[in-house]
Amino acid sequence: SVCAQAPFDTGMVVVMDGMGETYRVMKKAVEMGDETYVSDFTLCNDDDDGGEEIEIVPRNLEELAAKSYYDWREAESVYTFCKDESGLKVKPIFKRFTQENSPPTLYNHGFENMDSLGALYSRASSHIFGDWNACGKAMGLAPWQDHAWDSEKEGEMKQRIIPEMIDTPIVEGTLYKDGDLKINRMSMKG
């Protein structure tokens, strides 16, 4: 865990992988009292400081999950941690779930149709590298958005290569309000 390796004793961790565990699996493990399965829901139940509960978006997740054909997956999560001589305590404080809109058995686990920041990077990596799981490479390219390159092909005139800029934002809204995150798939070209 990044928390155990951190050079400080308290902090916050933000996870935006876009496709964590499914809601139904997490819920069933709690309901069945499965002590071998650890999720944020079991971490919440272990809370012995009487603190606040985890904030879940959408707020009516249980109702939505009961009606949906496919499941809902962890999209973005926020945790706080504290370590001292007694050990490490990780506490989930925020979690946003996103609906699976296509079968999770697809080659890319349905990333193409999920509305999360991690899934957005997966879509970008699919367009750029042909691999939905090359998200880190897409993130590594982000700082180069404003860069220009000079092509130096032998026998050709030097040509300036400048990435195309888009006017329409790809992502708008916030993670904290139900249904507020909007991803404009039309802005992504492949």
Side-chain angles (χ1 to χ4, degrees):
S1 165
V2 70
C3 304
Q5 303 303 318
F8 31 84
D9 294 334
T10 61
M12 181 179 285
V13 177
V14 178
V15 179
M16 294 190 171
D17 64 359
M19 189 168 141
E21 185 61 89
T22 62
Y23 170 73
R24 290 177 185 151
V25 167
M26 293 169 71
K27 183 178 180 219
K28 185 173 183 175
V30 170
E31 290 171 349
M32 302 290 287
D34 184 351
E35 294 179 15
T36 64
Y37 180 86
V38 178
S39 75
D40 290 355
F41 292 169
T42 55
L43 287 175
C44 291
N45 289 343
D46 291 344
D47 189 12
D48 57 3
D49 63 5
E52 295 179 24
E53 288 189 25
I54 184 172
E55 180 181 353
I56 304 240
V57 173
R59 285 164 184 77
N60 61 340
L61 178 61
E62 189 165 356
E63 177 186 330
L64 293 171
K67 295 177 186 174
S68 61
Y69 184 74
Y70 300 118
D71 209 343
W72 288 69
R73 285 195 176 268
E74 297 173 294
E76 294 87 21
S77 304
V78 180
Y79 306 85
T80 57
F81 72 89
C82 179
K83 47 185 182 175
D84 57 27
E85 55 280 340
S86 66
L88 173 67
K89 180 166 175 76
V90 177
K91 181 179 179 183
I93 59 172
F94 173 80
K95 181 169 293 298
R96 189 177 78 83
F97 284 84
T98 186
Q99 186 175 13
E100 291 178 325
N101 295 312
S102 55
T105 53
L106 293 175
Y107 77 98
N108 63 358
H109 302 278
F111 261 119
E112 286 293 319
N113 298 315
M114 292 176 75
D115 288 328
S116 68
L117 298 177
L120 176 67
Y121 273 102
S122 285
R123 282 193 289 278
S125 68
S126 291
H127 291 300
I128 298 168
F129 304 109
D131 180 359
W132 68 272
N133 205 17
C135 312
K137 292 178 182 178
M139 289 178 201
L141 287 174
W144 294 92
Q145 174 187 356
D146 294 330
H147 189 75
W149 295 266
D150 292 324
S151 75
E152 298 183 18
K153 291 184 181 177
E154 198 171 314
E156 292 183 15
M157 256 175 88
K158 256 189 175 178
Q159 193 173 18
R160 194 105 173 122
I161 302 170
I162 301 171
E164 180 183 346
M165 302 298 283
I166 57 172
D167 296 328
T168 308
I170 295 174
V171 180
E172 292 183 291
T174 67
L175 300 175
Y176 297 102
K177 296 179 186 171
D178 290 353
D180 194 43
L181 182 70
K182 304 289 185 243
I183 297 176
N184 182 351
R185 290 179 180 84
M186 298 307 291
S187 292
M188 298 186 70
K189 301 174 182 177

